[in-house]
Amino acid sequence: MIKSRNAAFAEESAEVEVLFAEASKFDNISKRIKSSLARLDGGAQVVKDSIGPVYSNTQSLQTMNDNIDEILAAIEKMLVPSEDKGREEGIIRAGPAKVGLSEYLASLKRIDRALSHMMSKNLRVNQQAIGDFNELLSEGSTHLQNVFRSTLASNAHLVEPLHYITKRRSQDESQQNGADQRIELPFPTIAQEIVSQLGAIDTFMSSPTARDVTYRQGESASVRIYAESRGAYLSGSLQNLATASINTSKKKKQDEIYRHGTSGIGTYASGIEGIFLAEYQNISAIFPRDDWGSAFQRTCRKPLADFTKTVRELNIHIKSNLTTDCFLAYEMIEIISQVSFRLDSKTGELKSAFADALKPIRETAKLSIPELIEDIRRRVQSMVALPVDGASIPYTAEIMNRLQTITCYPKSLASILASLGDGNWTSGSAGVAGSSTSIPSLKSFDVGADGSQLLAHYILDTMETLLTTLEAKARTLIKGKSLLGVFMANNVAVMDRMIRSSDLSDVLSSAGAPAKIDSWRKKGTSAYLDSWREPCSALLDVQYTNRGGRPPSGSNGVIDSAAVIKGLGNKDKDTIKEKFKSFNTSFDDLSSKHKSMAMEREVRSQLAREVQAMIEPLYSRFWDRYHEVDKGKGKYVKYDKGSLSAQLAALG
């Protein structure tokens, strides 16, 4: 057993020795591998150090190769414009008239592209070619400008605006008479074919390269040429209307009040509106959206300058005839403001230009408001005589005619009166306080009062000034209160009649005008009736209630005149006789004067009623009591109740 164990141990020991021997071999192999790897790393580093410069040189050579390829490609592209230069130069030199506009534009576009490409490379070798191409582009642009100008000139025949305006008005009238539709007659525009040509030319002239050649200080050559040509067309077409506006505004009679619609300024403004809108359509079709505003403003500059000049001439005329022609200023403000608003709503332009043109007229209109009231004071105070028969003076009707005319311009007067302020037109500083060179804003009209109310207040103040000044003057020139009363009543009647027969009644209906007129009417009536107090005083008697029973009187009582006379003493009877005689004399005298006075129809009848209401009750009572004083002989009692009533009725 022990022997077998030793044999097993010996076998295992031999195996271990074999394993150790193998491990020793592997260690040797590992050492050799490590040594090989070290040598390999050293060789790789040597290779890397050797290959690095070669790789860098290869990259530089590749970049150089790419640059050479690009240079060759650029040279090939440079050769192409140089080769086409002769052909393009022939087209440009020939001009668009010979080769056609489309071909000419195509050639310019090719030159433009070639020039843009060469300028982007910025190569020295291209400088000569760039100069040649710029010269061709400049010459081509000049030819296009000439074509643009000549095309506009051939389509700028002056028109007669009145033809289109009157046609439109006649169609408006037809519509009012029952026509279903209104076919407008618009102002002529440039033909669509011509618009397309002009648009194509402008498109090229708006290119960046062409701008550098043709534009100066950001100015568009096509817009400038268009504005010059079409501006002259607009100005020439509107010239007759401008002249007519001035001629029709001048009156044959110096003191004649301007009548609404007499001046041709309304037709002039309509012509401006129509022809400007037509021109805006042309501009919208030819130019890009960004150029519409500048092109429209520049095109309208010359006709607007002519319009401004016309407005200033009319303003000079209005100032020299302020009290009679200020209404033309009101009319111009309304017309021009409306035209400006409509043009601005459709084009977004020219609002400030129209406001500037209207400034002198607006200032003159403001000055006229207090001046009209001051003129009343001056005119009345300068009167040296008034009608001796108490008739109204023509100046009253003139003032009322002026106020009737004012109602034709409610919008313009509302803004003017609002800028002055309610009641400020009666102060001497109204003109100064209301003067301004700035454009009125909507805020300036917000004064807390309706425009119609302001107008009504101004009209009432004007009437009040007239009546007050007339009354003061009449007190110095007219003798007798009755004649003064008739004079004032006549003037009030004229004013009231002219109010009722015109638009003044609507304007003044809510301003308390009837009450003010009635107060002046009562004032005149009271002054007139003052003289009738004398015959009334003769009809007053004294009754003594302590001397027996009082005679019956009143509507149910019948007075016995004989009994009354019988109860009087001789002295009382003589007093009654004198009262009848005094009444007869005074009544006949006043009746004669009444009939001799010049009275308006309504004044005569109204005063007659007032006299009758004053005299008849007193006389009836006095006659009932004392008519038996002369026993029916008529020596003292000249009128019975019936004849007196007839006499009083005859006063009307």
Side-chain angles (χ1 to χ4, degrees), residues 194-211:
I194 304 300
V195 166
S196 300
Q197 295 178 7
L198 296 174
I201 295 174
D202 176 71
T203 300
F204 169 76
M205 295 175 68
S206 300
S207 64
T209 307
R211 282 179 181 269

Side-chain angles (χ1 to χ4, degrees), residues 135-436:
E135 183 179 348
L136 286 177
L137 192 61
S138 177
E139 182 177 350
S141 297
T142 301
H143 282 306
L144 282 182
Q145 290 182 31
N146 293 334
V147 172
F148 196 84
R149 184 180 289 105
S150 61
T151 303
L152 287 172
S154 62
N155 290 272
H157 303 294
L158 300 184
V159 298
E160 179 51 61
L162 200 60
H163 168 72
Y164 301 93
I165 296 171
T166 53
K167 287 286 186 180
R168 186 178 302 167
R169 286 179 177 173
S170 64
Q171 290 164 359
D172 289 340
E173 293 172 359
S174 299
Q175 183 187 27
Q176 293 174 0
N177 293 333
D180 295 332
Q181 294 181 348
R182 180 171 77 91
I183 303 175
E184 291 189 0
L185 186 62
F187 280 79
T189 56
I190 301 175
Q192 184 60 42
E193 180 182 356
I194 304 300
V195 166
S196 300
Q197 295 178 7
L198 296 174
I201 295 174
D202 176 71
T203 300
F204 169 76
M205 295 175 68
S206 300
S207 64
T209 307
R211 282 179 181 269
D212 294 337
V213 177
T214 60
Y215 287 26
R216 295 181 179 178
Q217 298 178 353
E219 182 184 62
S220 169
S222 53
V223 168
R224 173 176 53 80
I225 295 170
Y226 186 92
E228 290 174 356
S229 177
R230 298 298 292 181
Y233 155 77
L234 296 178
S235 181
S237 297
L238 294 169
Q239 183 59 48
N240 289 339
L241 293 183
T243 304
S245 297
I246 297 174
N247 293 337
T248 54
S249 299
K250 296 179 179 179
K251 305 168 297 182
K252 295 181 179 179
K253 297 180 180 179
Q254 191 69 16
D255 57 347
E256 181 182 0
I257 293 179
Y258 173 80
R259 290 183 292 108
H260 182 265
T262 302
S263 173
I265 190 66
T267 305
Y268 189 14
S270 297
I272 288 177
E273 180 182 5
I275 204 168
F276 276 20
L277 288 176
E279 204 58 40
Y280 189 75
Q281 293 179 21
N282 293 333
I283 291 171
S284 302
I286 295 172
F287 298 100
R289 180 68 181 85
D290 293 341
D291 290 340
W292 288 1
S294 60
F296 187 55
Q297 286 188 3
R298 289 201 58 172
T299 304
C300 298
R301 187 175 297 169
K302 180 172 175 54
L304 278 176
D306 295 339
F307 176 73
T308 302
K309 180 181 177 182
T310 302
V311 170
R312 287 177 179 171
E313 290 187 26
L314 290 175
N315 186 55
I316 293 172
H317 169 73
I318 293 170
K319 276 189 171 182
S320 61
N321 303 274
L322 190 59
T323 58
T324 57
D325 285 2
C326 59
F327 311 103
L328 175 57
Y330 309 150
E331 182 175 297
M332 291 176 66
I333 291 173
E334 284 199 358
I335 292 173
I336 297 171
S337 297
Q338 292 172 2
V339 168
S340 173
F341 174 78
R342 289 193 294 266
L343 281 173
D344 180 68
S345 64
K346 295 177 182 179
T347 67
E349 305 292 339
L350 305 182
K351 184 177 182 180
S352 60
F354 277 105
D356 291 340
L358 202 56
K359 280 180 184 177
I361 291 294
R362 185 175 290 276
E363 293 304 313
T364 300
K366 286 182 180 180
L367 291 174
S368 70
I369 297 299
E371 175 60 24
L372 291 177
I373 294 180
E374 283 300 316
D375 179 67
I376 292 174
R377 295 191 180 100
R378 288 194 301 267
R379 290 280 297 274
V380 173
Q381 290 171 0
S382 64
M383 293 178 181
V384 295
L386 293 175
V388 295
D389 56 358
S392 62
I393 56 175
Y395 186 60
T396 299
E398 179 183 332
I399 293 300
M400 294 308 297
N401 187 27
R402 179 191 295 176
L403 295 179
Q404 286 177 342
T405 307
I406 279 179
T407 60
C408 298
Y409 316 102
K411 294 180 180 178
S412 59
L413 280 168
S415 66
I416 294 169
L417 295 173
S419 64
L420 290 174
D422 194 357
N424 289 338
W425 45 75
T426 58
S427 62
S429 60
V432 177
S435 63
S436 173

Side-chain angles (χ1 to χ4, degrees), residues 561 565 580 622-632 637:
S561 178
I565 295 299
F580 271 111
F622 198 80
W623 186 90
D624 285 340
R625 293 182 63 82
Y626 304 115
H627 67 276
E628 289 294 336
V629 71
D630 63 353
K631 303 184 184 305
V637 184

